[in-house]
Amino acid sequence: MTNLQFIKNLTATTPATKHSFADVFTTDYDYYKLIVTGGDFASQDWANFRYLDTSGSELSGNDYRYVSREGLSSEGYYGGTATYGAVIRAHTSDADIGNVALDFSNPMVSSSYTYVRATVVTSQNGTLFKAERTIQYRQDTQVQGLCFYLNSTGANINNLHIKVFGVKE
C-alpha cells in the first residue's frame, strides 16, 4: 500500500441549508481520508451528511447503520448502536462542527457496502466531546459524493472546509 496522498480541498463559504460535493470519490483510490473543519452555524445543532450516488442524487432511506463510542471529558465514555435513517451524525452542540476525521472504504465498489470510521472532536456546551463511530451504508452501490446539512429544518451551514486524501493499494 502506498502513502496517503493529498487529492484536493473542498470548500463551501456561502451560507446554505445543504452543501453537496458530487466529486469526492473516484476509482483512482481504494481508501479515502477526509478532514472536515469549520462548518459554522447560527445555533447549536447536529451536523449530518448523506452519500451521493454517481448521478449526484442523495442516498436516503434506512440503509445507514452505526455503532458509536462517545463521551464528554467530564463523564467518560458510553457506547451504543443506532439507526438514523438517512443521516450519519457528527455530534456538536456548539456552533461549529469541530474537527472530524472520516476514513472511507469501498465508496466506488458497486458490489460492496460502503464503510466509514469517524473520529469527532468538538465541544458540547464548553466541555470536550469525542466520538468514535463505525458507519455502514447497507446498499451495494457506488458512492461518489457527500451532502452536508444540519438537523434543524432551514438552518444554514457556512465555512465548511474539507481536505480529501487517498490511498491506492
Side-chain angles (χ1 to χ4, degrees):
M1 195 179 308
T2 60
N3 293 332
L4 191 66
Q5 299 174 3
F6 175 75
I7 301 171
K8 61 184 157 187
N9 285 311
L10 302 171
T11 304
T13 57
T14 304
T17 57
K18 289 184 179 184
H19 288 291
S20 294
F21 303 98
D23 60 347
V24 177
F25 308 112
T26 69
T27 57
D28 296 337
Y29 297 93
D30 299 307
Y31 304 97
Y32 288 83
K33 176 179 274 301
L34 276 65
I35 306 298
V36 183
T37 58
D40 305 328
F41 31 96
S43 62
Q44 296 178 350
D45 208 337
W46 286 85
N48 308 294
F49 71 85
R50 289 186 182 131
Y51 292 122
L52 303 177
D53 65 16
T54 55
S55 67
S57 298
E58 287 183 32
L59 297 171
S60 59
N62 292 318
D63 296 314
Y64 295 90
R65 304 285 191 268
Y66 82 75
V67 62
S68 182
R69 181 176 182 240
E70 53 193 50
L72 296 167
S73 60
S74 61
E75 298 175 10
Y77 276 102
Y78 49 92
T81 61
T83 300
Y84 282 100
V87 297
I88 300 171
R89 298 176 185 259
H91 182 273
T92 184
S93 61
D94 290 341
D96 67 40
I97 286 178
N99 293 293
V100 180
L102 303 169
D103 298 314
F104 292 87
S105 60
N106 305 328
M108 291 295 290
V109 179
S110 60
S111 61
S112 180
Y113 292 167
T114 298
Y115 293 90
V116 62
R117 186 182 70 205
T119 303
V120 180
V121 178
T122 188
S123 175
Q124 180 172 326
N125 300 320
T127 302
L128 178 65
F129 174 86
K130 181 179 181 188
E132 297 167 347
R133 294 191 171 96
T134 302
I135 303 152
Q136 175 190 57
Y137 182 70
R138 296 170 37 126
Q139 287 294 322
D140 297 341
T141 188
Q142 288 181 315
V143 172
Q144 191 167 2
L146 298 169
C147 175
F148 290 85
Y149 64 99
L150 299 176
N151 205 43
S152 299
T153 303
N156 283 338
I157 190 168
N158 188 24
N159 293 323
L160 187 62
H161 303 281
I162 304 167
K163 292 183 185 292
V164 181
F165 300 87
V167 174
K168 184 78 174 166
E169 280 194 273

